[in-house]
Amino acid sequence: MAASATPASTAAPAAGATAAAASSNGGLTHPIFVLNSLDATISVIDPQTWTETKRIPTGKEPHHLYLTPDEKSLIVANALGDSLTFLDPRTAEVQRTVRGIVDPYQLRFSPDMKWMVTAGNRLNHVDIYRWDGKDVTLSKRISTGKTPSHLWIDSTSSIVYSTMQDSDELVAIDLNTQTLKWRVKTGSLPADVYGSPDDKTLFIGLTGGEGVEVYDVSGGKEARLVKTIPTGKGAHAFRGAGDRRHIYVSNRVANTLSKIDMQTQTVVAQLPGPTGPDCMDVSADGRLILLSSRWGRKMTVIDTETRKVVRQISVGKSPHGVWTLDHAPR
């Protein structure tokens, strides 16, 4: 599958941005990848010039990206294409396409690097694949609730958590026995899920609500709702700030981002998130947020210190996932 070059897009700094903020690239040196779900392409952004250098064809409806444990490949999950596209995260070249992966909407590797787990969003299942460092082999397909959306795996590679977007549930899967452990009800349209470093707490964005639900899952027990943190309408996707204490959540309807302190379980900062903010990445120095502005066909760059938009780069239709090797710790 060859990459097709497109004219570079203009990336003018946003109005009102300071020259220093606009010229900063957050220490980024490797390509930035933006996944365009409705175009079935990947936009490749040069962080030195802040221009799109090419677009890479993928399978139908790619939605999320994930780096292999050895960091040699960036995997694009093509949900309607029933395939995975492997890219070189350093050169932006296509390495290979793996077919026969049924409905991979979202994916995640276990910390012990033995398993790759996918959420079958339209077919209501979670698939567990064995990973040998190069290839994946289906181990178990688990029927879940309606529309599994996002995944989280605890630090011991013991439990997979998955939100159920259309049945308003959170389910837990025992990764050792590959069976369902429990399911609990959540608020409206649960989307992304993020676990605290000590595995005691889960945060769930409610796309159908106005905040983030906090669940106690300490000791591997069934999740218990302890708090809802008001963030903004359409709370959706998380990204760690890199300090193991704070996370960002995109509020898709409110067009904002909220920075949450996981210890105090409070919002400590609000940032702009133009035109349907979705997935994001954070530069290695924590200074820049690279955000997919889904309804605006843009990748938006936000300065976390000034809390201002400093750039927007035109990409394809319905930009979703964003990824770069030069990222803050996850």
Side-chain angles (χ1 to χ4, degrees):
M1 187 180 295
S4 60
T6 60
S9 58
T10 302
T18 65
S23 63
S24 170
N25 71 347
L28 300 167
T29 59
H30 292 96
I32 300 166
F33 298 86
V34 182
L35 183 157
N36 305 310
S37 292
L38 294 186
D39 279 347
T41 62
I42 297 288
S43 291
V44 181
I45 308 297
D46 180 345
Q48 303 300 314
T49 61
W50 292 111
T51 56
E52 180 188 56
T53 59
K54 62 179 176 180
R55 289 191 190 177
I56 304 170
T58 64
K60 289 183 179 180
E61 278 207 23
H63 282 286
H64 292 95
L65 308 124
Y66 208 87
L67 201 65
T68 54
D70 60 10
E71 297 195 343
K72 292 182 179 179
S73 299
L74 181 63
I75 301 179
V76 181
N78 306 309
L80 282 182
D82 291 339
S83 65
L84 304 175
T85 302
F86 284 66
L87 304 172
D88 187 316
R90 294 166 177 82
T91 67
E93 297 300 319
V94 175
Q95 297 171 325
R96 60 187 171 123
T97 299
V98 176
R99 305 191 186 281
I101 308 297
V102 179
D103 191 22
Y105 175 75
Q106 212 225 11
L107 73 159
R108 183 172 290 276
F109 282 90
S110 60
D112 64 8
M113 305 182 189
K114 293 180 180 179
W115 308 101
M116 185 187 80
V117 184
T118 63
N121 187 260
R122 63 185 159 86
L123 297 180
N124 301 332
H125 65 242
V126 168
D127 283 349
I128 301 175
Y129 292 86
R130 188 174 296 279
W131 170 255
D132 66 4
K134 179 183 178 182
D135 297 313
V136 293
T137 305
L138 182 62
S139 176
K140 186 72 175 288
R141 175 162 294 153
I142 300 173
S143 296
T144 58
K146 291 179 64 178
T147 323
S149 181
H150 289 68
L151 304 166
W152 183 264
I153 303 177
D154 73 343
S155 66
T156 65
S157 302
S158 300
I159 304 174
V160 180
Y161 299 100
S162 179
T163 54
M164 299 293 124
Q165 179 179 308
D166 290 326
S167 56
D168 296 340
E169 294 175 300
L170 171 70
V171 305
I173 297 169
D174 187 305
L175 198 49
N176 296 313
T177 63
Q178 299 182 6
T179 57
L180 276 172
K181 286 171 60 72
W182 47 256
R183 65 175 65 241
V184 299
K185 294 296 290 184
T186 67
S188 178
L189 295 176
D192 205 2
V193 53
Y194 193 98
S196 61
D198 61 7
D199 293 325
K200 293 182 179 180
T201 309
L202 287 181
F203 299 83
I204 295 178
L206 298 180
T207 305
E210 299 186 16
V212 170
E213 289 186 332
V214 183
Y215 287 86
D216 178 4
V217 290
S218 56
K221 63 189 178 185
E222 181 175 304
R224 179 179 62 87
L225 179 65
V226 295
K227 186 175 185 178
T228 300
I229 305 170
T231 59
K233 289 185 178 181
H236 190 74
F238 294 107
R239 176 61 170 88
D243 58 3
R244 294 174 61 85
R245 176 164 179 167
H246 297 92
I247 52 176
Y248 295 103
V249 63
S250 56
N251 305 307
R252 185 185 284 178
V253 179
N255 291 321
T256 60
L257 305 179
S258 300
K259 186 177 184 180
I260 295 173
D261 184 321
M262 288 190 286
Q263 293 181 15
T264 64
Q265 299 175 6
T266 58
V267 172
V268 295
Q270 289 283 105
L271 298 88
T275 53
D278 207 305
C279 296
M280 67 194 100
D281 210 346
V282 177
S283 62
D285 63 2
R287 181 66 185 266
L288 299 180
I289 294 174
L290 312 172
L291 174 71
S292 58
S293 289
R294 198 157 183 185
W295 315 137
R297 301 188 185 185
K298 306 281 187 183
M299 184 189 80
T300 299
V301 183
I302 301 160
D303 188 308
T304 60
E305 294 186 9
T306 64
R307 302 181 190 177
K308 293 181 178 179
V309 172
V310 294
R311 289 188 184 277
Q312 287 194 303
I313 298 96
S314 294
V315 290
K317 293 180 182 178
S318 193
H320 199 168
V322 181
W323 201 281
T324 179
L325 266 181
D326 305 314
H327 59 72
R330 300 180 189 280

PDB file of all heavy atoms in Angstrom, residues 6-12 43-45 49-55 297-298 312-315:
ATOM      1  N   THR A   6       0.353  14.667  -0.907  1.00  0.00           N
ATOM      2  CA  THR A   6      -0.609  15.731  -1.163  1.00  0.00           C
ATOM      3  C   THR A   6       0.086  17.046  -0.915  1.00  0.00           C
ATOM      4  O   THR A   6       1.095  17.113  -0.198  1.00  0.00           O
ATOM      5  CB  THR A   6      -1.827  15.629  -0.226  1.00  0.00           C
ATOM      6  OG1 THR A   6      -1.373  15.723   1.119  1.00  0.00           O
ATOM      7  CG2 THR A   6      -2.563  14.329  -0.421  1.00  0.00           C
ATOM      8  N   PRO A   7      -0.416  18.128  -1.480  1.00  0.00           N
ATOM      9  CA  PRO A   7       0.218  19.424  -1.241  1.00  0.00           C
ATOM     10  C   PRO A   7       0.262  19.760   0.235  1.00  0.00           C
ATOM     11  O   PRO A   7      -0.685  19.492   0.970  1.00  0.00           O
ATOM     12  CB  PRO A   7      -0.691  20.399  -2.022  1.00  0.00           C
ATOM     13  CG  PRO A   7      -1.384  19.554  -3.047  1.00  0.00           C
ATOM     14  CD  PRO A   7      -1.548  18.221  -2.405  1.00  0.00           C
ATOM     15  N   ALA A   8       1.354  20.364   0.668  1.00  0.00           N
ATOM     16  CA  ALA A   8       1.482  20.748   2.074  1.00  0.00           C
ATOM     17  C   ALA A   8       0.456  21.806   2.410  1.00  0.00           C
ATOM     18  O   ALA A   8       0.195  22.726   1.644  1.00  0.00           O
ATOM     19  CB  ALA A   8       2.895  21.285   2.334  1.00  0.00           C
ATOM     20  N   SER A   9      -0.152  21.703   3.588  1.00  0.00           N
ATOM     21  CA  SER A   9      -1.160  22.663   4.009  1.00  0.00           C
ATOM     22  C   SER A   9      -0.520  23.795   4.783  1.00  0.00           C
ATOM     23  O   SER A   9       0.533  23.640   5.396  1.00  0.00           O
ATOM     24  CB  SER A   9      -2.210  21.961   4.879  1.00  0.00           C
ATOM     25  OG  SER A   9      -1.599  21.365   5.984  1.00  0.00           O
ATOM     26  N   THR A  10      -1.156  24.932   4.758  1.00  0.00           N
ATOM     27  CA  THR A  10      -0.652  26.079   5.499  1.00  0.00           C
ATOM     28  C   THR A  10      -1.001  25.946   6.965  1.00  0.00           C
ATOM     29  O   THR A  10      -2.100  25.566   7.313  1.00  0.00           O
ATOM     30  CB  THR A  10      -1.267  27.381   4.941  1.00  0.00           C
ATOM     31  OG1 THR A  10      -0.947  27.462   3.552  1.00  0.00           O
ATOM     32  CG2 THR A  10      -0.735  28.598   5.666  1.00  0.00           C
ATOM     33  N   ALA A  11      -0.043  26.286   7.825  1.00  0.00           N
ATOM     34  CA  ALA A  11      -0.272  26.156   9.262  1.00  0.00           C
ATOM     35  C   ALA A  11       0.033  27.479   9.938  1.00  0.00           C
ATOM     36  O   ALA A  11       1.027  27.631  10.633  1.00  0.00           O
ATOM     37  CB  ALA A  11       0.580  25.047   9.845  1.00  0.00           C
ATOM     38  N   ALA A  12      -0.787  28.463   9.724  1.00  0.00           N
ATOM     39  CA  ALA A  12      -0.562  29.769  10.315  1.00  0.00           C
ATOM     40  C   ALA A  12      -0.879  29.737  11.799  1.00  0.00           C
ATOM     41  O   ALA A  12      -1.819  29.063  12.219  1.00  0.00           O
ATOM     42  CB  ALA A  12      -1.445  30.804   9.631  1.00  0.00           C
ATOM     43  N   SER A  43      -2.888  11.663   7.956  1.00  0.00           N
ATOM     44  CA  SER A  43      -2.107  12.860   7.641  1.00  0.00           C
ATOM     45  C   SER A  43      -0.799  12.809   8.410  1.00  0.00           C
ATOM     46  O   SER A  43      -0.792  12.531   9.612  1.00  0.00           O
ATOM     47  CB  SER A  43      -2.874  14.131   8.031  1.00  0.00           C
ATOM     48  OG  SER A  43      -3.997  14.332   7.209  1.00  0.00           O
ATOM     49  N   VAL A  44       0.297  13.077   7.723  1.00  0.00           N
ATOM     50  CA  VAL A  44       1.614  13.114   8.351  1.00  0.00           C
ATOM     51  C   VAL A  44       2.035  14.573   8.451  1.00  0.00           C
ATOM     52  O   VAL A  44       2.115  15.286   7.445  1.00  0.00           O
ATOM     53  CB  VAL A  44       2.647  12.314   7.542  1.00  0.00           C
ATOM     54  CG1 VAL A  44       4.012  12.354   8.232  1.00  0.00           C
ATOM     55  CG2 VAL A  44       2.176  10.867   7.365  1.00  0.00           C
ATOM     56  N   ILE A  45       2.281  15.028   9.684  1.00  0.00           N
ATOM     57  CA  ILE A  45       2.620  16.431   9.950  1.00  0.00           C
ATOM     58  C   ILE A  45       4.091  16.542  10.323  1.00  0.00           C
ATOM     59  O   ILE A  45       4.577  15.807  11.192  1.00  0.00           O
ATOM     60  CB  ILE A  45       1.765  17.004  11.102  1.00  0.00           C
ATOM     61  CG1 ILE A  45       0.266  16.758  10.862  1.00  0.00           C
ATOM     62  CG2 ILE A  45       2.067  18.488  11.310  1.00  0.00           C
ATOM     63  CD1 ILE A  45      -0.299  17.426   9.660  1.00  0.00           C
ATOM     64  N   THR A  49       8.053  22.340  10.401  1.00  0.00           N
ATOM     65  CA  THR A  49       7.409  23.332   9.550  1.00  0.00           C
ATOM     66  C   THR A  49       5.914  23.454   9.827  1.00  0.00           C
ATOM     67  O   THR A  49       5.261  24.373   9.320  1.00  0.00           O
ATOM     68  CB  THR A  49       7.584  22.953   8.075  1.00  0.00           C
ATOM     69  OG1 THR A  49       6.963  21.672   7.832  1.00  0.00           O
ATOM     70  CG2 THR A  49       9.068  22.845   7.723  1.00  0.00           C
ATOM     71  N   TRP A  50       5.382  22.522  10.614  1.00  0.00           N
ATOM     72  CA  TRP A  50       3.956  22.471  10.924  1.00  0.00           C
ATOM     73  C   TRP A  50       3.133  22.429   9.632  1.00  0.00           C
ATOM     74  O   TRP A  50       2.149  23.156   9.478  1.00  0.00           O
ATOM     75  CB  TRP A  50       3.530  23.631  11.810  1.00  0.00           C
ATOM     76  CG  TRP A  50       4.090  23.560  13.196  1.00  0.00           C
ATOM     77  CD1 TRP A  50       5.027  24.385  13.738  1.00  0.00           C
ATOM     78  CD2 TRP A  50       3.758  22.602  14.221  1.00  0.00           C
ATOM     79  NE1 TRP A  50       5.306  24.005  15.043  1.00  0.00           N
ATOM     80  CE2 TRP A  50       4.545  22.907  15.358  1.00  0.00           C
ATOM     81  CE3 TRP A  50       2.884  21.518  14.280  1.00  0.00           C
ATOM     82  CZ2 TRP A  50       4.482  22.184  16.536  1.00  0.00           C
ATOM     83  CZ3 TRP A  50       2.824  20.779  15.453  1.00  0.00           C
ATOM     84  CH2 TRP A  50       3.615  21.119  16.570  1.00  0.00           C
ATOM     85  N   THR A  51       3.543  21.564   8.715  1.00  0.00           N
ATOM     86  CA  THR A  51       2.788  21.359   7.487  1.00  0.00           C
ATOM     87  C   THR A  51       2.512  19.874   7.306  1.00  0.00           C
ATOM     88  O   THR A  51       3.257  19.022   7.791  1.00  0.00           O
ATOM     89  CB  THR A  51       3.544  21.878   6.247  1.00  0.00           C
ATOM     90  OG1 THR A  51       4.829  21.248   6.189  1.00  0.00           O
ATOM     91  CG2 THR A  51       3.714  23.385   6.298  1.00  0.00           C
ATOM     92  N   GLU A  52       1.434  19.576   6.589  1.00  0.00           N
ATOM     93  CA  GLU A  52       1.132  18.203   6.210  1.00  0.00           C
ATOM     94  C   GLU A  52       2.012  17.833   5.021  1.00  0.00           C
ATOM     95  O   GLU A  52       1.979  18.506   3.985  1.00  0.00           O
ATOM     96  CB  GLU A  52      -0.349  18.072   5.849  1.00  0.00           C
ATOM     97  CG  GLU A  52      -0.743  16.661   5.452  1.00  0.00           C
ATOM     98  CD  GLU A  52      -2.149  16.588   4.907  1.00  0.00           C
ATOM     99  OE1 GLU A  52      -2.430  17.323   3.937  1.00  0.00           O
ATOM    100  OE2 GLU A  52      -2.961  15.803   5.434  1.00  0.00           O
ATOM    101  N   THR A  53       2.791  16.777   5.163  1.00  0.00           N
ATOM    102  CA  THR A  53       3.726  16.398   4.107  1.00  0.00           C
ATOM    103  C   THR A  53       3.172  15.328   3.179  1.00  0.00           C
ATOM    104  O   THR A  53       3.570  15.244   2.019  1.00  0.00           O
ATOM    105  CB  THR A  53       5.046  15.894   4.708  1.00  0.00           C
ATOM    106  OG1 THR A  53       4.785  14.768   5.562  1.00  0.00           O
ATOM    107  CG2 THR A  53       5.727  17.001   5.518  1.00  0.00           C
ATOM    108  N   LYS A  54       2.263  14.492   3.680  1.00  0.00           N
ATOM    109  CA  LYS A  54       1.615  13.502   2.824  1.00  0.00           C
ATOM    110  C   LYS A  54       0.420  12.900   3.541  1.00  0.00           C
ATOM    111  O   LYS A  54       0.238  13.089   4.749  1.00  0.00           O
ATOM    112  CB  LYS A  54       2.591  12.391   2.422  1.00  0.00           C
ATOM    113  CG  LYS A  54       3.142  11.564   3.576  1.00  0.00           C
ATOM    114  CD  LYS A  54       4.082  10.483   3.018  1.00  0.00           C
ATOM    115  CE  LYS A  54       4.736   9.682   4.135  1.00  0.00           C
ATOM    116  NZ  LYS A  54       5.644   8.644   3.598  1.00  0.00           N
ATOM    117  N   ARG A  55      -0.397  12.186   2.759  1.00  0.00           N
ATOM    118  CA  ARG A  55      -1.499  11.400   3.322  1.00  0.00           C
ATOM    119  C   ARG A  55      -1.331   9.951   2.897  1.00  0.00           C
ATOM    120  O   ARG A  55      -1.037   9.657   1.742  1.00  0.00           O
ATOM    121  CB  ARG A  55      -2.859  11.927   2.862  1.00  0.00           C
ATOM    122  CG  ARG A  55      -3.206  13.258   3.502  1.00  0.00           C
ATOM    123  CD  ARG A  55      -4.637  13.669   3.269  1.00  0.00           C
ATOM    124  NE  ARG A  55      -4.830  15.046   3.692  1.00  0.00           N
ATOM    125  CZ  ARG A  55      -5.963  15.711   3.563  1.00  0.00           C
ATOM    126  NH1 ARG A  55      -7.023  15.112   3.014  1.00  0.00           N
ATOM    127  NH2 ARG A  55      -6.055  16.970   3.962  1.00  0.00           N
ATOM    128  N   ARG A 297     -11.911  19.538  10.845  1.00  0.00           N
ATOM    129  CA  ARG A 297     -10.881  19.006   9.937  1.00  0.00           C
ATOM    130  C   ARG A 297      -9.523  19.637  10.203  1.00  0.00           C
ATOM    131  O   ARG A 297      -8.794  20.021   9.280  1.00  0.00           O
ATOM    132  CB  ARG A 297     -11.283  19.217   8.465  1.00  0.00           C
ATOM    133  CG  ARG A 297     -12.591  18.574   8.077  1.00  0.00           C
ATOM    134  CD  ARG A 297     -12.826  18.660   6.583  1.00  0.00           C
ATOM    135  NE  ARG A 297     -14.133  18.148   6.202  1.00  0.00           N
ATOM    136  CZ  ARG A 297     -14.564  18.009   4.958  1.00  0.00           C
ATOM    137  NH1 ARG A 297     -13.773  18.356   3.950  1.00  0.00           N
ATOM    138  NH2 ARG A 297     -15.752  17.532   4.703  1.00  0.00           N
ATOM    139  N   LYS A 298      -9.178  19.738  11.471  1.00  0.00           N
ATOM    140  CA  LYS A 298      -7.920  20.363  11.863  1.00  0.00           C
ATOM    141  C   LYS A 298      -7.204  19.527  12.916  1.00  0.00           C
ATOM    142  O   LYS A 298      -7.827  18.768  13.668  1.00  0.00           O
ATOM    143  CB  LYS A 298      -8.171  21.750  12.489  1.00  0.00           C
ATOM    144  CG  LYS A 298      -8.991  22.713  11.655  1.00  0.00           C
ATOM    145  CD  LYS A 298      -8.183  23.356  10.566  1.00  0.00           C
ATOM    146  CE  LYS A 298      -9.007  24.446   9.874  1.00  0.00           C
ATOM    147  NZ  LYS A 298      -8.264  25.054   8.742  1.00  0.00           N
ATOM    148  N   GLN A 312      -3.331  25.753  14.038  1.00  0.00           N
ATOM    149  CA  GLN A 312      -4.256  24.760  13.504  1.00  0.00           C
ATOM    150  C   GLN A 312      -3.778  24.367  12.108  1.00  0.00           C
ATOM    151  O   GLN A 312      -3.501  25.232  11.276  1.00  0.00           O
ATOM    152  CB  GLN A 312      -5.687  25.288  13.459  1.00  0.00           C
ATOM    153  CG  GLN A 312      -6.345  25.385  14.828  1.00  0.00           C
ATOM    154  CD  GLN A 312      -7.836  25.583  14.740  1.00  0.00           C
ATOM    155  OE1 GLN A 312      -8.313  26.527  14.118  1.00  0.00           O
ATOM    156  NE2 GLN A 312      -8.589  24.679  15.362  1.00  0.00           N
ATOM    157  N   ILE A 313      -3.679  23.049  11.875  1.00  0.00           N
ATOM    158  CA  ILE A 313      -3.223  22.524  10.598  1.00  0.00           C
ATOM    159  C   ILE A 313      -4.365  21.761   9.956  1.00  0.00           C
ATOM    160  O   ILE A 313      -4.987  20.898  10.591  1.00  0.00           O
ATOM    161  CB  ILE A 313      -1.996  21.592  10.773  1.00  0.00           C
ATOM    162  CG1 ILE A 313      -0.813  22.365  11.364  1.00  0.00           C
ATOM    163  CG2 ILE A 313      -1.599  20.943   9.456  1.00  0.00           C
ATOM    164  CD1 ILE A 313      -0.667  22.259  12.836  1.00  0.00           C
ATOM    165  N   SER A 314      -4.666  22.062   8.703  1.00  0.00           N
ATOM    166  CA  SER A 314      -5.744  21.382   7.996  1.00  0.00           C
ATOM    167  C   SER A 314      -5.356  19.933   7.720  1.00  0.00           C
ATOM    168  O   SER A 314      -4.236  19.646   7.277  1.00  0.00           O
ATOM    169  CB  SER A 314      -6.043  22.090   6.670  1.00  0.00           C
ATOM    170  OG  SER A 314      -6.555  23.387   6.902  1.00  0.00           O
ATOM    171  N   VAL A 315      -6.297  19.013   7.991  1.00  0.00           N
ATOM    172  CA  VAL A 315      -6.079  17.594   7.718  1.00  0.00           C
ATOM    173  C   VAL A 315      -7.293  17.072   6.952  1.00  0.00           C
ATOM    174  O   VAL A 315      -7.903  17.804   6.192  1.00  0.00           O
ATOM    175  CB  VAL A 315      -5.804  16.803   9.016  1.00  0.00           C
ATOM    176  CG1 VAL A 315      -4.443  17.168   9.592  1.00  0.00           C
ATOM    177  CG2 VAL A 315      -6.894  17.040  10.059  1.00  0.00           C
TER     178      VAL A 315
END
